[in-house]
Amino acid sequence: MSKEQENNKEQENNREQKNKGKNNKQIWIIASIAIILIVASAVLVYLMVGNNNEDDSKISYTDLIKKVSDGEVEKIEMTVGSTSVKVKLKDIEEEKNSIVPNTQAFIELIQEKVEQGIEIQLEQKQRNVLISISETLFTLLPTIMIVALFVLVFKMQGLGEKGKVYDDTTTKVKVKFDDVAGLEEEKQEMIETVQFLKEPEKFTKMGAKVPRGILLYGKPGTGKTLIAKAIAGEANVPFISMSGSEFIEMFAGLGASRVRKLFEKARKLAPCIVFIDEIDAIGSRRTSGSGAETENNQTLNQLLVEMDGFDTDETIIVLAATNRPEMLDKALLRPGRFDRQITIAVPDLKGREAILKIHAKDKKFAENVSLKSVAEDTAGFTGAELANILNEAAIVATVNEHELIEQSDLDEAVKKVTVGLQKTSRVISEKDKKLTAYHEAGHAIVSRYLETQEPVKEISIIPRGVAGGYTMYKTNEDKSYISKTEMQERLVALLGGRAAEKIALNDISTGASNDIEVATKIAKDMVTVYGMSDVVGTISINTEQDPYELQLLGEKYADAIGAEVKILLDNAYLKAQSILSAHMDKLHEVAETLLKQEVITEEQFDKFFE
Ligand code: ADP
Ligand code: ZN
């Protein structure tokens, strides 16, 4: 029930989550080991204590001595090496347990009593092997736990294994500029870097200072790592890489020491490239906070120290990548550090075709296949996503038992990546189908009557991924700016699904939740990011990461923002409803056709409006 772009975003989120997953995994390992140890010790304690202490069968040491002196005790059973004893009293059938503080002294005491003429049997037994093992374990448990934890932590830090001091990868890479498609200007900018790595003397003789730090801004998958590798490949120098998230350590000081070691290694291998992915993880604005933040600060400070300390004869180029430039500490951008910044944008139509061509090299395609048409359908896609589409197409072709990858396989792959996998097996009730049909028809018809919205490419009520159906739009045009009107109309199109459910079926469903979520995000951005509200004004307020920003402006502003967001959404919903009520006949026609044939193509949709 959503547009292609939203799915792209989803994929991006997924990828981010995957990155986080790595850290989570380590935390999980520690947590599970801790839990296992705690449970094990609890069980042992239960076993041991449970063995000895059944409440009314217990007898205190003082009582025991008294009863021994009074001659009430028939027999005492002791286990070597254990302080717990079994006591058989003369007048009671069952045995009682007791703990003696000092076994030797106790034995002497009993002997004394026997000498005094008191009748009492003392029996000493070898201890049960199982109990003795568990007892030993129990006493050793805290030690075992601590040792295990240390081993684990050191393993994670990579300090436990010889030679694996930190998790970087050093490789002579084979990637060349030819393997990077679409980023022509960016490659051009990097040529001087390559020359510097090859012949640094030439530059130093001239007295030229070549930038040592280059910051690459761009979404994940846009080829930042690829271009950094290509520089190393072109210059034929080692490529040392590490991800910023790996610097974030649990123990203070380790992040900084890793940075130090990374650069120690770089100095040994120079000339070389150091690539730091996700630099925002260490390079976010320094704060005066405590705990994790100070740790962060130390790591960042160390990085700055290392970069400031480059000698003129050390040929090291540091490339760093981030998709959150706004988070970076300004100190990173000062001269001598990352003083060159290059934005790696998502590829345009030509770039997409070029990237597809590169990744198509190792695959077999039918003759009539047009990569250009795939490029046309994938505005906003990153290089990684395009590579993924071709891989999916190869899988689809294999499943369909095609000799070569056909256009239909490619189209299916695009849909698979954008809207999710087609779910033919899921049985859908007639009621659900009808609801989905009206919902999707609503999106399509509302956008048809909105000037700025893209033409409909396909409407479907065949479930894909989590969506019960979808409306796909043509997105041929690559644009860099979105106007306010366009955003407002986007809200109307998004709420068109919900409006159709209400108008045609007089009921509303959960199927619109994603639409509403996306619409709310857009409305909020319009007010707090793009300064599109007259009431709130031309101001940027970070409502998500920094709640203080909102507080700074005062309650009145917070109220105004809330009201403006609500007004935008309410107006959009009203507009969607009014468009639909004016074209009820079309709504019914499209929805009924959808129910009949499940999919409506671009041409079929246009026919409704002739
Ligand atoms: P980033 O570092 O920006 O997250 P990567 O460089 O890791 O992205 O890109 C991931 C993969 O996507 C690359 O290994 C490559 O297969 C593909 N890719 C991305 N951009 C391009 C491009 N411009 N040309 C060719 N392949 C690309
Ligand atoms: Zn929808």
Side-chain angles (χ1 to χ4, degrees):
M1 310 205 165
S2 52
K3 283 193 176 186
E4 286 174 48
Q5 291 99 315
E6 284 139 39
N7 276 286
N8 294 346
K9 242 181 224 152
E10 226 165 76
Q11 283 167 5
E12 207 178 291
N13 287 342
N14 283 345
R15 208 181 0 241
E16 271 168 26
Q17 267 156 18
K18 243 180 241 161
N19 284 342
K20 273 186 210 152
K22 224 161 102 196
N23 283 334
N24 284 344
K25 214 164 133 192
Q26 299 181 336
I27 292 169
W28 271 112
I29 294 176
I30 291 208
S32 14
I33 297 220
I35 288 171
I36 289 172
L37 285 174
I38 289 167
V39 170
S41 55
V43 168
L44 279 177
V45 167
Y46 174 80
L47 277 179
M48 306 237 350
V49 176
N51 261 351
N52 301 335
N53 303 359
E54 274 146 43
D55 268 342
D56 54 328
S57 67
K58 255 182 7 190
I59 177 167
S60 73
Y61 185 61
T62 9
D63 268 1
L64 179 62
I65 303 292
K66 191 165 174 294
K67 286 195 159 46
V68 168
S69 307
D70 293 351
E72 289 174 31
V73 178
E74 186 183 310
K75 188 174 147 190
I76 292 176
E77 217 180 277
M78 297 184 76
T79 312
V80 176
S82 165
T83 52
S84 74
V85 298
K86 279 190 179 144
V87 181
K88 168 85 181 70
L89 297 177
K90 280 182 178 146
D91 48 350
I92 303 174
E93 202 36 53
E94 70 204 86
E95 290 179 344
K96 291 197 181 283
N97 293 308
S98 186
I99 305 275
V100 296
N102 181 332
T103 45
Q104 194 48 45
F106 183 67
I107 292 169
E108 277 164 21
L109 186 106
I110 301 288
Q111 278 165 351
E112 206 176 292
K113 296 287 166 197
V114 172
E115 279 162 22
Q116 283 167 16
I118 292 171
E119 226 177 282
I120 183 166
Q121 280 181 43
L122 182 70
E123 213 179 282
Q124 290 202 63
K125 283 202 322 190
Q126 211 46 47
R127 54 165 58 220
N128 180 317
V129 184
L130 256 183
I131 291 185
S132 82
I133 289 176
S134 69
E135 251 179 18
T136 321
L137 264 183
F138 184 59
T139 38
L140 287 180
L141 202 72
T143 326
I144 295 176
M145 269 172 82
I146 289 166
V147 170
L149 248 156
F150 265 94
V151 168
L152 228 129
V153 165
F154 276 110
K155 263 214 156 128
M156 281 173 41
Q157 314 283 15
L159 296 173
E161 283 160 58
K162 229 176 123 201
K164 229 187 135 197
V165 182
Y166 40 89
D167 287 338
D168 63 343
T169 41
T170 315
T171 31
K172 281 263 181 186
V173 286
K174 292 205 184 75
V175 182
K176 291 280 159 63
F177 278 155
D178 275 349
D179 300 309
V180 186
L183 300 167
E184 296 309 323
E185 286 138 45
E186 289 80 357
K187 284 194 272 186
Q188 209 57 41
E189 267 199 85
M190 304 289 194
I191 283 177
E192 65 172 51
T193 308
V194 173
Q195 279 170 348
F196 173 68
L197 285 165
K198 274 183 172 162
E199 297 169 288
E201 318 81 39
K202 260 192 177 172
F203 287 81
T204 38
K205 246 196 269 163
M206 276 291 187
K209 273 206 183 110
V210 171
R212 294 304 187 83
I214 304 173
L215 207 49
L216 304 172
Y217 296 149
K219 274 186 20 171
T222 43
K224 298 184 292 295
T225 315
L226 191 71
I227 204 162
K229 274 190 184 160
I231 295 172
E234 290 284 340
N236 196 26
V237 299
F239 178 80
I240 308 177
S241 78
M242 200 157 165
S243 171
S245 58
E246 291 171 45
F247 285 112
I248 305 301
E249 298 301 339
M250 297 199 311
F251 293 133
L254 270 173
S257 95
R258 279 190 170 203
V259 172
R260 201 164 39 239
K261 281 181 180 140
L262 182 74
F263 282 90
E264 245 166 48
K265 181 162 184 175
R267 291 201 165 89
K268 268 185 219 138
L269 291 171
C272 68
I273 294 268
V274 173
F275 179 69
I276 304 173
D277 204 359
E278 298 175 60
I279 189 156
D280 43 282
I282 40 170
S284 30
R285 273 178 219 144
R286 276 173 296 184
T287 48
S288 52
S290 59
E293 278 168 351
T294 6
E295 163 63 359
N296 234 345
N297 295 350
Q298 284 180 20
T299 313
L300 175 58
N301 287 338
Q302 188 62 39
L303 178 65
L304 298 177
V305 165
E306 296 290 347
M307 291 192 71
D308 290 345
F310 279 157
D311 277 341
T312 35
D313 55 338
E314 280 165 348
T315 321
I316 300 171
I317 301 273
V318 186
L319 284 128
T322 179
N323 62 332
R324 296 149 82 185
E326 74 285 350
M327 299 275 294
L328 291 184
D329 197 298
K330 295 281 173 287
L332 275 170
L333 310 179
R334 290 212 191 104
R337 296 166 180 172
F338 292 99
D339 45 9
R340 180 166 295 183
Q341 290 112 44
I342 297 178
T343 304
I344 311 282
V346 289
D348 60 5
L349 179 60
K350 255 174 69 191
R352 291 197 298 274
E353 197 181 346
I355 293 173
L356 286 167
K357 270 195 187 136
I358 283 192
H359 290 276
K361 265 185 204 152
D362 55 346
K363 298 188 176 63
K364 294 195 182 92
F365 291 90
E367 254 175 48
N368 61 349
V369 157
S370 157
L371 289 177
K372 185 150 188 263
S373 82
V374 176
E376 280 166 0
D377 286 347
T378 46
F381 275 50
T382 63
E385 283 163 336
L386 293 168
N388 184 27
I389 282 184
L390 289 187
N391 190 46
E392 287 292 342
I395 293 172
V396 172
T398 315
V399 172
N400 289 341
E401 295 186 358
H402 294 159
E403 298 252 326
L404 302 162
I405 301 172
E406 291 172 13
Q407 190 69 40
S408 62
D409 301 324
L410 273 168
D411 292 344
E412 174 68 27
V414 173
K415 278 185 213 161
K416 207 166 154 180
V417 171
T418 51
V419 229
L421 206 60
Q422 188 160 332
K423 282 190 186 157
T424 36
S425 56
R426 201 167 92 193
V427 185
I428 322 141
S429 73
E430 282 308 306
K431 193 168 156 268
D432 278 4
K433 252 191 179 166
K434 193 166 176 188
L435 200 115
T436 312
Y438 274 96
H439 181 104
E440 298 306 334
H443 280 309
I445 289 164
V446 165
S447 21
R448 172 85 192 192
Y449 290 103
L450 294 168
E451 287 273 299
T452 62
Q453 296 305 290
E454 313 283 357
V456 169
K457 187 165 181 260
E458 188 176 291
I459 320 167
S460 163
I461 57 165
I462 301 170
R464 265 178 190 280
V466 286
Y470 58 88
T471 304
M472 248 163 85
Y473 297 86
K474 273 168 78 166
T475 43
N476 285 351
E477 208 186 322
D478 293 301
K479 44 188 154 181
S480 0
Y481 301 108
I482 310 175
S483 71
K484 181 177 173 183
T485 318
E486 201 173 339
M487 284 184 109
Q488 279 170 324
E489 297 200 343
R490 180 81 210 285
L491 296 181
V492 181
L494 275 166
L495 298 180
R498 162 57 66 90
E501 292 177 28
K502 176 79 186 142
I503 282 191
L505 307 171
N506 194 25
D507 197 5
I508 51 179
S509 77
T510 56
S513 65
N514 184 255
D515 298 336
I516 295 170
E517 193 186 323
V518 175
T520 309
K521 170 94 175 62
I522 293 176
K524 218 158 79 186
D525 282 353
M526 287 174 73
V527 179
T528 61
V529 180
Y530 303 116
M532 286 177 176
S533 151
D534 296 334
V535 178
V536 177
T538 317
I539 189 166
S540 160
I541 305 154
N542 188 340
T543 52
E544 258 141 52
Q545 263 131 18
D546 193 354
Y548 299 108
E549 249 183 55
L550 208 55
Q551 281 176 21
L552 202 72
L553 291 163
E555 235 168 79
K556 259 188 11 209
Y557 254 105
D559 289 348
I561 290 168
E564 279 292 276
V565 170
K566 182 149 170 23
I567 288 170
L568 279 169
L569 291 170
D570 285 350
N571 284 347
Y573 188 57
L574 284 176
K575 180 94 193 272
Q577 281 189 312
S578 80
I579 292 176
L580 288 173
S581 19
H583 303 282
M584 274 308 266
D585 51 331
K586 296 272 189 297
L587 180 61
H588 286 304
E589 266 179 74
V590 173
E592 266 151 35
T593 313
L594 266 176
L595 280 170
K596 237 182 286 158
Q597 57 185 49
E598 295 196 329
V599 181
I600 293 179
T601 62
E602 186 183 343
E603 297 82 38
Q604 287 170 332
F605 185 68
D606 288 342
K607 282 223 176 79
F608 288 109
F609 300 91
E610 269 166 12

